[in-house]
Amino acid sequence: MRADIVIGMQWGDEGKGKVVDYIAPLYTSIVRFNGGPNAGHTVIADGRSFTFHHIPAGAFMRKKLLIAPGMLVNPEILNEEIESLKKVASEFYLKIDIRTSLITPAEVELDKKIEDLKGASSIGTTLRGIGPAYSSKALRISPRVSDVLSGNFDASIYKKLYNIEFDFGAWVQKAKKTLSGYAFDVREELLKSLENGEKVLFESAQGTLLDPIYGTYPYVTSSNTTSAYAFVSSGIPFKYAGKVIGVLKAYTTRVGKGPMPSEMPESLAKTVRESGKEYGATTGRPRRIGWLDLPALKYAKEINGIDEAFITKLDVLSGLNELKVAVTYAIDGKETDRFPSPEVLERAQPVYQSLEPIPKLGTDDISHIIKNGWISAPVQMKNYVDFIEENLRVKVSYVSLGAERERTVKVD
Ligand code: GDP
Ligand code: IMO
Ligand code: MG
């Protein structure tokens, strides 16, 4: 069978957690394949709410939850996450690949140190040690799950190189306790599962524009956020690639620094931030807000090979006095719909097209649309979705009108 992939098409926090939970019934296993606890994927369903940091967001749907080795795991944060999840999901099947690299306290401290050293040019990372831990992996000095389990790991290089003191022995013991029940050859399990005709869903963290190669470097994360990385990370051959589902927030948000051409003035951003509860699920930081950015989305579509889109948070745009979309950029006096390199993007001026604003939708209006289907949505909302479909040339399969699982409508 095929492995489908859920990808964030913007700068993260598109609502990937909600989407994964919603489509999970179609799959046997859900696999996280990039990033680490910098991610925060929120699922609200059956009266429960949970923000996943490492664990795939299919827990409420009782799916096999797998962590591929191209991810990073911080055993201390994972332990807290497992204990919290036990309170809301009594049983779950979780396996972590033995090759997965671990984040140590040294790397968390180093993340802060580097941000401090950069001063005004800091990235605004989540301070979860992501950049330093992927660097340690590239330097071949990272402990992996298998190293912690075997106890065969020499930490002296950390002390020499990073000059950061921590009790490595105590850390290993704690990490071993957390990981020993979950360590597994995830790659082998996944391959068998695909060969047996089961369906697999890859769940990306972050978003396309935070990719370290194709994103707005240097204001990016440190592992690839695009669809091809699902296969590299999990060791699954590319021939199993199924469809790529792009998650697209109805407007744009960004946490941390870096260019964002369609950013709104703060007076309007404030309104959207409050109604959309746009505060980081991992760090609590206020998210920057902008209008939908078509050149950026076209670029994300190309890089990932998006087959269909899931639009989230459309309810948040309802009731605004204006509705705009950045359709092109003006760069040095020329108009283009191509997404340029990051240093050029800094100079890009958005060229907006105004659409008819979507009238305010209350809880009853949303329930009415959920009950009666997309056909019953306000015409302005349907026009907005048609506009995205036509300009992006991607089928929009679902629209999300609220954080809860059931607030989802199929677009016919
Ligand atoms: P992720 O990182 O892509 O999984 O997204 P986050 O969970 O960090 O952020 C998305 C936020 O929006 C979460 O608080 C979700 O519960 C919430 N959310 C998801 N879809 C919708 C929606 O359609 N409408 C509203 N109002 N909130 C949504
Ligand atoms: P999810 O999976 C939004 C951003 C940080 C910072 C940059 C680098 O919930 O969508 P890092 O800690 O990775 O070194 O930070 O990337 N960032 C995210 N922004 N959502 C995320 O994850 C993010 N993970 C990292 O804010 O700008
Ligand atoms: Mg998030």
Side-chain angles (χ1 to χ4, degrees):
M1 256 297 180
R2 292 294 167 109
D4 294 343
I5 312 166
V6 163
I7 286 289
M9 291 182 74
Q10 292 145 321
W11 277 287
D13 302 327
E14 295 90 351
K16 299 176 292 294
K18 160 150 186 177
V19 170
V20 167
D21 169 79
Y22 188 80
I23 62 176
L26 301 172
Y27 302 91
T28 305
S29 310
I30 319 282
V31 193
R32 262 286 303 274
F33 65 91
N34 66 337
N38 48 349
H41 297 179
T42 308
V43 175
I44 302 179
D46 310 324
R48 302 175 285 182
S49 170
F50 195 80
T51 298
F52 295 88
H53 296 294
H54 298 91
I55 302 175
F60 289 177
M61 288 296 192
R62 294 171 166 264
K63 297 296 155 179
K64 287 186 181 175
L65 309 172
L66 306 176
I67 288 183
M71 247 188 97
L72 291 175
V73 166
N74 180 323
E76 284 164 307
I77 298 178
L78 178 70
N79 186 43
E80 285 167 23
E81 192 178 345
I82 289 172
E83 291 309 312
S84 308
L85 186 58
K86 279 181 185 165
K87 292 183 190 141
V88 287
S90 50
E91 267 176 56
F92 51 90
Y93 177 102
L94 172 67
K95 296 290 176 207
I96 303 168
D97 197 283
I98 45 175
R99 304 162 187 85
T100 313
S101 296
L102 301 174
I103 304 174
T104 75
E107 284 135 346
V108 175
E109 204 173 315
L110 198 57
D111 199 357
K112 167 116 187 34
K113 248 187 186 169
I114 295 169
E115 285 286 90
D116 288 347
L117 282 172
K118 283 188 171 172
S121 61
S122 65
I123 307 292
T125 74
T126 59
L127 300 178
R128 294 293 187 274
I130 300 297
Y134 273 120
S135 306
S136 298
K137 174 179 174 173
L139 288 169
R140 295 152 294 192
I141 62 171
S142 262
R144 309 196 303 172
V145 171
S146 53
D147 297 319
V148 159
L149 296 185
S150 69
N152 258 339
F153 187 75
D154 178 5
S156 57
I157 188 74
Y158 270 87
K159 291 174 187 153
K160 288 182 197 147
L161 187 70
Y162 296 147
N163 198 21
I164 293 170
E165 282 295 330
F166 73 99
D167 186 344
F168 194 82
W171 180 83
V172 167
Q173 284 318 309
K174 264 175 84 179
K176 195 171 177 178
K177 221 170 136 196
T178 300
L179 297 167
S180 53
Y182 302 104
F184 206 65
D185 193 330
V186 165
R187 181 203 70 83
E188 202 168 77
E189 165 153 350
L190 263 180
L191 185 61
K192 273 192 203 142
S193 154
L194 286 162
E195 283 171 351
N196 289 338
E198 294 177 357
K199 281 195 83 179
V200 167
L201 182 65
F202 284 112
E203 170 184 348
S204 180
Q206 289 87 52
T208 305
L209 305 174
L210 288 171
D211 185 88
I213 304 174
Y214 297 104
T216 48
Y217 185 92
Y219 301 101
V220 292
T221 190
S222 302
S223 70
N224 297 102
T225 59
T226 51
S227 53
Y229 188 59
F231 298 91
V232 176
S233 167
S234 61
I236 294 301
F238 202 65
K239 67 178 180 181
Y240 289 104
K243 66 181 174 185
V244 184
I245 303 156
V247 186
L248 181 171
K249 197 182 278 190
Y251 48 95
T252 310
T253 62
R254 172 160 210 177
V255 208
K257 296 188 186 171
M260 181 180 175
S262 64
E263 191 161 10
M264 291 174 183
E266 183 52 26
S267 52
L268 181 58
K270 224 158 119 186
T271 310
V272 178
R273 187 178 300 119
E274 292 316 311
S275 65
K277 299 199 180 99
E278 292 295 356
Y279 292 89
T282 297
T283 58
R285 291 180 293 174
R287 295 174 181 150
R288 296 160 61 194
I289 317 280
W291 295 111
L292 200 72
D293 183 335
L294 272 179
L297 288 171
K298 287 179 182 170
Y299 176 72
K301 176 196 153 187
E302 282 177 15
I303 289 180
N304 295 294
I306 301 290
D307 293 301
E308 61 183 73
F310 204 127
I311 300 183
T312 60
K313 305 196 86 156
L314 200 47
D315 54 308
V316 178
L317 289 182
S318 81
L320 295 181
N321 293 330
E322 53 178 338
L323 180 61
K324 296 201 291 189
V325 175
V327 285
T328 54
Y329 299 143
I331 301 172
D332 304 332
K334 282 196 188 127
E335 206 175 318
T336 177
D337 71 346
R338 307 299 297 161
F339 191 76
S341 60
E343 59 290 355
V344 176
L345 190 68
E346 301 268 9
R347 308 198 295 278
Q349 295 299 318
V351 177
Y352 289 114
Q353 183 165 332
S354 288
L355 281 87
E356 220 187 310
I358 301 167
K360 179 78 195 152
L361 295 180
T363 311
D364 289 348
D365 302 314
I366 291 175
S367 303
H368 175 82
I369 301 170
I370 306 294
K371 189 163 166 246
N372 296 290
W374 185 237
I375 196 161
S376 67
V379 64
Q380 298 89 339
M381 189 178 253
K382 287 191 284 197
N383 285 347
Y384 188 63
V385 170
D386 287 349
F387 182 87
I388 297 171
E389 267 191 334
E390 280 161 24
N391 282 278
L392 209 54
R393 295 176 189 274
V394 164
K395 166 77 192 139
V396 174
S397 50
Y398 288 93
V399 158
S400 170
L401 295 174
E404 300 79 7
R405 181 192 290 154
E406 60 277 9
R407 291 198 171 198
T408 311
V409 197
K410 190 166 178 12
V411 176
D412 343 275

